[in-house]
Structures are given as C-alpha cells and as structure tokens.
C-alpha cells in the first residue's frame, strides 16, 4: 500500500512518546523551528523535567540552526491530546519489545491517517513490533543518538515503509538541525551504533577482565581521540540499564558474544547504579 504523505507540516506539531533522557532531547530538536512539540508521559515528574530541559536549551540550540526559531513544548498524559494533528510521532520508550508492540498498536489506532509513526529504538527494528499495526507503510525507525551534541540519525524501513516517507524526512529533518542517513537493509544497531556497540563492548571486557579501570580507559580515549568523554562516561549518560537492555538484545541475536561485558553491567544495574540519572554509575554525579 502507498501512504498519503502529510502536508502543511511546518504548521503542525510533532509528538514524542516518552519524556526520558532521549525523549526530551528529541523534543528539543523538533522545537527549533518555531512550532509546537507535545511530549506524552504518564509520569508528571518526567514531564516536568522534559519541559524544563527544552525551555532551558531551545533558544541556544535554535540559534545554531539556519532559520531556527525557538518553539514551544507541551506535556500531556493524554495520548489522544499528544497525537492531535501531529504530522510525525517519535516513540522513545524503554527498550522492551512488549511495550513497543503495545505503543505502536495504540499509535496505529489513534494517530491521524497521514501521521508518520517513527521509533527511536536503539536496538529493535520496527519490523519486530508492528504485528498490531494495520498500516505498516507509515512506520519506520528514526534513531537519534544524543542531540543536540550528536545530530546524525539513522532511518530504516520496517520492510513496508513507503519510500516517499524516507524522501520527505531526508528533505525536512535537516531544517530541525538533525541529519539523516538511511540503512539500506535491516540491521540491528543500524549504522553507527553497530560500530559503537563493538567499542563499548570491548571497553567493558577490558574492565571485566581486570585489565584496566573505567577511569583509565576513558582517560586514554580522551587523550588519543581528542574527545571530551570516554566510553564509560558516555554509557553513564545513556543509562546503564539501557545499555544492558541493548547488549542483551545483541546477545540473543548473536549468542557467540562474550558474557563478561553483560555481567559487569548487571552488577551495576542490580545495585541501582544506572549512571547520571541515578547519581551513580561508573562515576558519581552530584545533583
């Protein structure tokens, strides 16, 4: 089936499902063109934090985008309100397949007929959770990294995605300060994340085997690569529970992967040390 592409998108809102670390960052980028972004989350605390984050940073980020204008963010715990007249929905909920199937079943029923349904999933192809979707031609992966610092994103078809959607997004997304790259076949981890997964997995193995420490690995990375943060600091930013979920998914697909990195992650997660969001991960964080 073909999909009727949304029109008038510059006058219509974007909806983000999930107000967590990446959800609020995605909302920030879509609020840089002067329009409205609605963020759906059942947690008032998460919603308030997302609003504060966008409002704090949107003027600065919009100023760095050609034609950028600070927009607005609205927080709601009503899915129907979040989706009203949206031309695009980006799902950014935890990496649980059952949850994503449930969410996309609802989005398929409640979103407008010309709304594009995208998933920010970092490890699941959308083809894995569209069994309750009646119109898979409007679904795709749109995977963000950590905007506004990292603004390359992956686009990947669910196997049925209307090619016109990919063309539309390649044309329009740079106007929001993000730059899409299309995976030409289904790939767990998409493009860049497959490379990054190998790096973080080997960094974890070096520590799990007692060869080095997170601090020393990161220090060597900063010196040799000229970057501000090393793999362990970056994993703390993402959330060690999220990193573990992703590694478990890779391991189910590739049973030959070493167990040591996942054992190390489980030790931290089971202790409640999830990274920046819990105040303790491989490093301790104030506030």
């Amino acid at each position: 089936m073909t999909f009727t592409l949304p029109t008038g998108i510059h006058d219509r809102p974007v909806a983000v499902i999930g107000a967590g670390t990446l959800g609020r960052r995605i909302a920030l980028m879509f609020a840089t063109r002067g329009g409205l972004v609605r963020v759906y989350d059942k947690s008032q605390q998460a919603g308030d934090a997302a609003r504060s984050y966008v409002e704090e940073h949107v003027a600065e980020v919009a100023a760095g985008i050609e034609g950028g204008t600070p927009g607005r963010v609205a927080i709601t715990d009503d899915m129907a309100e979040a989706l009203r007249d949206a031309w695009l929905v980006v799902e950014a909920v935890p990496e649980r397949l059952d949850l994503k199937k449930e969410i996309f079943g609802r989005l398929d029923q409640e979103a407008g007929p010309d709304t594009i349904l995208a998933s920010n999933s970092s490890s699941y192809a959308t083809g894995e959770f569209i069994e309750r979707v009646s119109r898979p031609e409007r679904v795709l992966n749109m995977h963000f990294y950590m905007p506004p610092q990292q603004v390359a994103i992956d686009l990947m078809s669910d196997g049925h995605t209307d090619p016109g959607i990919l063309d539309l997004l390649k044309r329009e997304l740079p106007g929001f300060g993000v730059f899409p790259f299309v995976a030409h076949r289904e790939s767990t981890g998409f493009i860049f994340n497959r490379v990054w997964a190998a790096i973080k997995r080997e960094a974890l193995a070096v520590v799990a085997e007692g060869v080095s420490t997170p601090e020393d690995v990161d220090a060597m990375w900063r010196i040799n690569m000229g970057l501000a943060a090393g793999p362990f600091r970056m994993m703390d930013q993402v959330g060690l529970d999220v990193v573990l979920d992703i590694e478990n998914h890779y391991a189910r697909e590739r049973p030959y992967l070493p167990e040591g990195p996942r054992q190390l992650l489980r030790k931290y997660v089971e202790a409640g040390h999830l990274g920046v969001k819990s105040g303790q991960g491989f490093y301790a964080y104030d506030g």
Side-chain angles (χ1 to χ4, degrees):
M1 293 179 63
T2 57
F3 174 69
T4 301
L5 294 172
T7 58
I9 65 174
H10 297 166
D11 299 316
R12 295 171 62 181
V14 171
V16 177
I17 308 301
T21 301
L22 273 167
R24 66 193 61 172
R25 288 170 175 262
I26 293 166
L28 169 64
M29 301 313 295
F30 282 111
T32 58
R33 218 183 217 184
L36 171 65
V37 180
R38 298 195 192 101
V39 180
Y40 166 84
D41 202 294
K42 286 294 187 183
S43 166
Q44 182 176 342
Q45 181 179 7
D48 289 344
R51 179 191 290 110
S52 297
Y53 178 81
V54 174
E55 291 177 348
E56 178 182 354
H57 296 286
V58 67
E60 175 188 357
V61 175
I65 299 172
E66 184 176 354
T69 304
R72 298 175 292 126
V73 62
I75 309 299
T76 180
D77 61 1
D78 183 332
M79 178 79 81
E81 172 61 20
L83 299 177
R84 183 166 52 84
D85 198 35
W87 72 271
L88 170 68
V89 182
V90 183
E91 166 268 314
V93 303
E95 291 290 275
R96 288 180 19 227
L97 191 56
D98 58 338
L99 178 59
K100 292 182 185 292
K101 288 179 179 181
E102 176 189 345
I103 291 290
F104 271 81
R106 289 190 63 186
L107 294 179
D108 183 60
Q109 292 180 348
E110 299 181 30
D114 68 343
T115 303
I116 298 169
L117 308 182
S119 172
N120 182 58
S121 178
S122 57
S123 57
Y124 290 107
T126 43
E128 297 184 66
F129 49 82
I130 55 172
E131 62 186 43
R132 304 178 194 176
V133 174
S134 63
R135 300 180 60 201
E137 66 274 10
R138 63 169 171 167
V139 177
L140 80 160
N141 285 94
M142 182 188 295
H143 173 246
F144 292 75
Y145 291 88
M146 290 292 281
Q149 288 80 18
Q150 298 172 319
V151 291
I153 65 175
D154 303 284
L155 302 180
M156 188 171 75
S157 169
D158 67 356
H160 308 276
T161 309
D162 190 306
I165 290 177
L166 296 171
D167 291 339
L168 172 67
L169 293 174
K170 286 191 291 183
R171 182 173 67 249
E172 295 292 341
L173 289 177
F176 295 98
V178 294
F179 301 92
F181 295 82
V182 177
H184 297 292
R185 58 179 295 178
E186 186 175 293
S187 168
T188 299
F190 315 107
I191 305 169
F192 185 83
N193 242 10
R194 284 186 60 172
V195 178
W196 167 238
I199 292 169
K200 69 184 179 185
R201 192 176 300 126
E202 196 62 24
L204 289 162
V206 165
V207 172
E209 293 169 12
V211 176
S212 189
T213 65
E215 293 82 3
D216 282 355
V217 171
D218 279 1
M220 291 185 74
W221 181 272
R222 293 196 305 272
I223 292 169
N224 285 345
M225 303 300 290
L227 299 175
F232 290 93
R233 184 75 72 178
M234 288 189 275
M235 284 188 274
D236 270 359
Q237 291 172 355
V238 172
L240 301 188
D241 52 339
V242 175
V243 176
L244 178 59
D245 283 345
I246 293 167
E247 281 304 300
N248 284 335
H249 181 61
Y250 278 120
R252 286 191 292 271
E253 187 174 283
R254 304 168 191 171
Y256 55 82
L257 291 175
E259 175 67 20
R262 279 169 280 135
Q263 288 178 338
L264 180 62
L265 286 168
R266 277 195 290 271
K267 173 185 171 183
Y268 280 82
V269 171
E270 289 171 0
H273 298 161
L274 308 182
V276 173
K277 62 186 174 184
S278 71
Q280 176 71 50
F282 293 112
Y283 297 88
Y285 300 90
D286 294 329

